[in-house]
Amino acid sequence: MSEGHMFDVHFDAVGVAVGRMRNEVTLTASTPFQSVNVLATDEGPFQGGEGTAPTPLEFFLTGLVGCLMTQIRVFARKMRVDVTDLKVHCRAEWAARKGELGPYEGFPKGFTVDVELASGAPAEDVARLIEASKRACFVEQTLAVANTVTHRLRINEGDWTDA
Amino acid sequence: MSEGHMFDVHFDAVGVAVGRMRNEVTLTASTPFQSVNVLATDEGPFQGGEGTAPTPLEFFLTGLVGCLMTQIRVFARKMRVDVTDLKVHCRAEWAARKGELGPYEGFPKGFTVDVELASGAPAEDVARLIEASKRACFVEQTLAVANTVTHRLRINEGDWTDA
C-alpha cells in the first residue's frame, strides 16, 4: 500500500459484439461504489456500421471531458472555491499511418482542453482548483503516462494465451 | 505530413455542467466523417450526483473496449480472418492518494484486456489480427504513450490563460 493511499477504483467492462459493428458493454463498478450499467457503441457507414449508437471515440472523449468537469465541481466544494457556468471544450486529434501488420496503425496527435467558468474567488484560487482537479482526474492522469495494457486471447473456447 | 500517412481523425467535445454533477457533452466529428452526438454523464451519491447517467469512467472504458472490438471486426474483414462470437473483458484499476494541492490525486494502476472469439482461421492468423487491431485502436494507442494535454482557462469571460 503506497504512502498516502486514500481509496481504490475498480471497474470491469465486458463488451459483446452484436449486429455489424455494434458493441454492448456491461460496466460493473466494484469499488469504491457498486453499480452496473450498459452502454452501446456503433459505427457509421465509414466503418461499415449502422449508426445505432455513438462511436467508441465519442465515449472516450465524453469520459475525458466528464471526468475533469466532475472533478472540478467536487473539488470546488471541498476547496471552497465557488464555480458556476462551467464549460469545457476538448479538441482531440489522431492520425492513421500505413501499418506493418495490418492496414494501418493509430497515433494520438494532441489533446487541448479549454475550461471556462464564472467565480467570485481570486484568480489564483481558481487556477489552483483547476490544477488540483487535473491531478485528480483519473482519465487525464491515465493519458499523462505510458500505460501497459496486458492482453490475453482465447480462441474457440481453448486455453488463454498472452497476446 | 509523416511518411505513410493515411487519414486524420478530429473530434471536438464540448461539455456543459448542469444539475448537481451531470455534464452534457456535445461531440462533433469533423474528419474523416461528420457527425454530432450528445452524451451525458452523472455521478451517484458517492460523488454527490443524482445518478441520471453513467459515470465518466464508464464512458472512458466503453470507449476503450468498443474501440478495440470495432478494430478487430474491421480488420478481420480487411485481413480475411473470420471472427465470430467476439467478447472483450477489460479490468481497470486506479488509486487515489493524498494530494499536495487538492484533497487527492489519481493514478492508473493497470488495465488488462481479455479477448475471446471463435474462428476457423489458424491461431497465428488470429494472433496477428489481434496485434494489428491493438496497433490501430486509437484509444489503446493513446493509453500506450505519455500524452501532453494542453489546458487553457478563462474566468468570468476574461482573457484565456494557460493552465
Side-chain angles (χ1 to χ4, degrees), chain A residues 20-33:
Chain A
R20 278 167 181 265
M21 286 293 156
R22 182 177 166 94
N23 300 304
E24 293 175 353
V25 185
T26 301
L27 301 129
T28 306
S30 46
T31 183
F33 55 84

Side-chain angles (χ1 to χ4, degrees), chain A residues 10 17 19 26 40 42 50-51 53 62 65-66 82 91 101 112 130 133 141 143 145 153 163:
Chain A
H10 182 180
T26 301
D42 201 347
E50 296 164 293
T62 298
V65 166
D82 79 276
R91 278 175 292 274
L101 274 182
T112 66
I130 301 305
S133 301
Q141 293 309 306
L143 264 59
V145 298
L153 172 61

Side-chain angles (χ1 to χ4, degrees), chain A residues 105-108, chain B residues 134-145 147:
Chain A
E105 298 181 3
F107 300 87
Chain B
K134 284 156 55 176
R135 294 187 191 185
C137 170
F138 290 127
V139 177
E140 271 223 32
Q141 293 309 306
T142 301
L143 264 59
V145 298
N147 299 278

